[in-house]
Amino acid sequence: MKILMVEDDATTVEYVVKGFIEQGHNIETATDGHQGLLLATSMKYDLIILDRMLPQLDGLKLLAALRATGSQTPVLILSALSHVDERVKGLRAGGDDYMTKPFAFSELLVRAEKLMQRGESQPMVTDLSVGPLSIELLTRKVTLDGQEILLQPKEFQLLKYLMEHENQVISRTLLFEAVWDYHFDPRTNVIDVHIAKLRRKFEELGHGELIETVRGAGYRLRQGH
């Protein structure tokens, strides 16, 4: 298997590289976020092992940029940030697994091999559709009944998250954390404002019913009539 490790701690890199080579895997390394993103987007890897705190480009920003290209390469985050909020943030950003330092190589190896096996059978998702609504993830093109809708970046991220969880009731807290990437403030109405903007654009094409408000629970994207 071909692995990319993005890590700036030389001792950790040496330890992990030695272990994977002994297991017969091919592993390349990058010591800062910019170099890591360049390699991750220009080469094909079976797995990326990613540190959170990196020089030049933070690990989560690297991950967000990678996922924005449509890449579904499995990413295992390996970080000293061990608090549950940090682990959740890493998984929400697109990580497939999260391990904290210090760690045992035997556990890292097992988790890595499981992710690589899972990645072999998962085709890259480039399009999402819910009823008359479609998104092309690579071009960020959104169409409703075949007509293109222009969305602002946050509107696009909000709609994408709702489409990925079609017919599920998603709380305002989850939407806020997934799209804005920081703790939810119950006093803010930013989600309601963006939902209202999406609804108006859908209503113009006769599909205002696509986003349903579930009182006291959140929002749900459904097929429509």
Side-chain angles (χ1 to χ4, degrees), residues 12-43:
T12 302
V13 170
E14 183 180 3
Y15 172 59
V16 171
V17 167
K18 181 176 182 292
F20 276 110
I21 289 176
E22 287 175 347
Q23 294 298 317
H25 296 298
N26 179 14
I27 182 165
E28 298 177 357
T29 62
T31 55
D32 65 67
H34 282 162
Q35 182 189 17
L37 181 59
L38 178 62
L39 286 172
T41 53
S42 59
M43 305 286 287

Side-chain angles (χ1 to χ4, degrees), residues 92 154-165 168-185 188 190-196 198-199 211-214 217-221:
R92 288 202 189 285
K154 289 300 182 187
E155 294 171 357
F156 179 87
Q157 288 177 254
L158 184 60
L159 179 60
K160 175 176 175 287
Y161 191 81
L162 287 169
M163 291 180 73
E164 289 171 337
H165 299 82
Q168 298 177 34
V169 178
I170 309 296
S171 70
R172 294 168 77 243
T173 300
L174 280 178
L175 285 173
F176 196 81
E177 290 182 351
V179 177
W180 280 267
D181 196 30
Y182 46 89
H183 290 294
F184 178 69
D185 180 353
T188 184
V190 66
I191 291 176
D192 310 280
V193 169
H194 281 75
I195 289 287
L198 283 174
R199 273 209 185 106
I211 299 179
E212 177 187 8
T213 300
V214 181
Y219 297 97
R220 173 167 52 203
L221 186 76

Side-chain angles (χ1 to χ4, degrees), residues 65-73 124-126 137-138:
L66 178 65
R67 293 302 187 222
T69 69
S71 171
Q72 296 297 308
T73 302
M124 186 174 73
V125 177
T126 58
L137 297 177
L138 297 181

Side-chain angles (χ1 to χ4, degrees), residues 93-134:
D96 298 279
D97 198 357
Y98 196 113
M99 280 187 66
T100 58
K101 302 173 183 176
F103 61 95
F105 178 77
S106 57
E107 181 182 1
L108 176 65
L109 177 65
V110 170
R111 291 197 188 200
E113 289 181 339
K114 284 188 175 298
L115 285 178
M116 288 187 284
Q117 289 166 7
R118 190 192 310 170
E120 287 177 342
S121 59
Q122 289 185 340
M124 186 174 73
V125 177
T126 58
D127 301 281
L128 295 172
S129 294
V130 175
L133 186 64
S134 297

Side-chain angles (χ1 to χ4, degrees), residues 29-83:
T29 62
T31 55
D32 65 67
H34 282 162
Q35 182 189 17
L37 181 59
L38 178 62
L39 286 172
T41 53
S42 59
M43 305 286 287
K44 180 173 174 53
Y45 295 97
D46 299 295
L47 174 72
I48 297 172
I49 299 174
L50 179 65
D51 187 22
R52 283 279 306 274
M53 298 179 289
L54 292 166
Q56 298 189 33
L57 184 66
D58 173 77
L60 292 192
K61 290 181 179 177
L62 185 160
L63 181 54
L66 178 65
R67 293 302 187 222
T69 69
S71 171
Q72 296 297 308
T73 302
V75 174
L76 190 160
I77 298 172
L78 184 62
S79 174
L81 299 173
S82 59
H83 192 275

